Amino acid sequence: MNIANNTFKTLKDLDKAHYLHPFTDLQEHKQKGGDIFSRAEHIYIYNSEGKQLLDGMSGLWCSNLGYSQPTINKAITQQLEVLPYYNSFFQCTHQLAVDMAKSLVEVTPPQFNKVFFTNSGSEANDTNIRLVHRYYNLLEKPNKKQIISRKNAYHGSTVAAGSLGGFNGMHEQYTGVNYVHHIAEPNWFGYDGELDRDAFGKHVAQELAAKIDELGEENVAAFIAEPIQGAAGVIVPPETYWPEISKICKERDILLILDEVICGFGRTGNWFAAETYNIEPDLLTFAKGVTNGYQPLGGVMVSDKVADVITCNEGEFTHGFTYSGHPLACAAGIATLDILKNEQVIEKGAADIMPYFQARLRSLEDHPIVGEVRGVGMLAALELVKNKSSKERLAPDCEGGAICKMHAIEHGLMVRSVGDAIVTAPPLICSREEIDLLITRLTIALDYTAKHYGIKS
Ligand SMILES: *Cc1c(COP(=O)(O)O)cnc(C)c1O
């Protein structure tokens, strides 16, 4: 259904007039207005002119089952009739929060038997800080407050979660908390030293040990990291990286927080990337895919090690949100996990569509402006270059990525550009034909981008 032209103008004007968009150039938006999306079906999104786009980003890495899941709709509307809201403060509880907690315990690694609910990934990472500080206070190690994170990490956008994150563009706009320290990320494409990939992975992991030594182990509470850095441009670590990080964390008295907000719920071919990389986190952040994006829900899985301390000391844990364990969000979450389990979406995906997707993308390595294809499961990035061997970029200021994204949208494919990389994370339920369509549209975008810069393809 096309929205009539006059409605469109009004909506666009109202959007420009009243709506401050997140992560948006507000001056540009004030002038040009936003792109209006009107509806979605299966893996496709439709703009206000009725143009269809294959959603190569699953929304914002969250609608992993696409947009047509009637059992999730039904779960939400049924719950609306029974108990639309109640809270979990001061010992209160309700069926849906309990069922959701149980469902999460069943699918997460065995050390996790407890969950703290939030409404977002950002709030979940704030919760992590509250948990690790409380944990070490209760253990009478009150100096252990420092947290180590990585450059170009994304952990959300509240003041504390933004501080954990490592984006200069965010730090420049406000003053964050003063107990977070950033080490280098395992960015192999961006590295031009002498080491091979495996040696580089170990080398960059050693920065964690060096930083702990510098700050003093007695002052460090935790290390937080995404298994694969999403917003940074799908930074896939060398195979040697996580074993080395795990070893460093085990040898020292610090907690490991794994931010699985993007990687969780099947994105890397296992329920959690903790399994993909054999990582044993003490705390695990989830959000996004947990409700298929249908409702805001996030949280922290708390391991027995941490739970045993925070539940065996008297005194209130003075933290929580009005909507922690919201019944409608939990209804959406339970239904989402049920689909993943009952339809074996992850197991089937890992056996077929994920390797197919990765293989088809790898075939684009021959394209004259593709410098690297990297990815795991249903998560990938293409690094755009002018010159494959020198890795010279297409244009200054990462304009090449933006140009390619524009051509992709023009030709019916939603992707994201991060610097000079094009990122794609399509729904896990794509068929082979749909992946073929994604590749066809992406190839057209690459050809136009090459042409834009006068490179033959
Ligand atoms: C999106 C994201 C967050 C923040 O989640 P919100 O729900 O937007 O607050 C945290 N960590 C990672 C890895 C993310 O990708």
Side-chain angles (χ1 to χ4, degrees), residues 61 119-123 125 154-157 226 231 259-262 285 287-288:
W61 336 73
N119 310 294
S120 68
S122 303
E123 290 172 355
N125 282 324
Y154 188 73
H155 297 298
S157 195
E226 301 153 83
D259 184 341
E260 293 244 26
V261 170
I262 288 176
T285 319
K288 294 195 170 114

Side-chain angles (χ1 to χ4, degrees), residues 83 85-95 97-98 117 324-325:
L83 183 72
Y85 172 72
Y86 204 67
N87 71 80
S88 308
F89 280 30
F90 321 129
Q91 323 275 3
C92 294
T93 191
H94 59 84
Q95 181 86 42
V98 177
F117 287 120
S324 286

Side-chain angles (χ1 to χ4, degrees), residues 7 28 102 160 214 217 244 265 267 270 322 367 377 409:
T7 333
E28 193 184 343
K102 182 169 164 285
E214 180 196 321
E217 190 179 325
E244 193 70 14
F265 308 103
R267 186 57 61 192
N270 290 294
T322 301
H367 196 282
I409 291 174

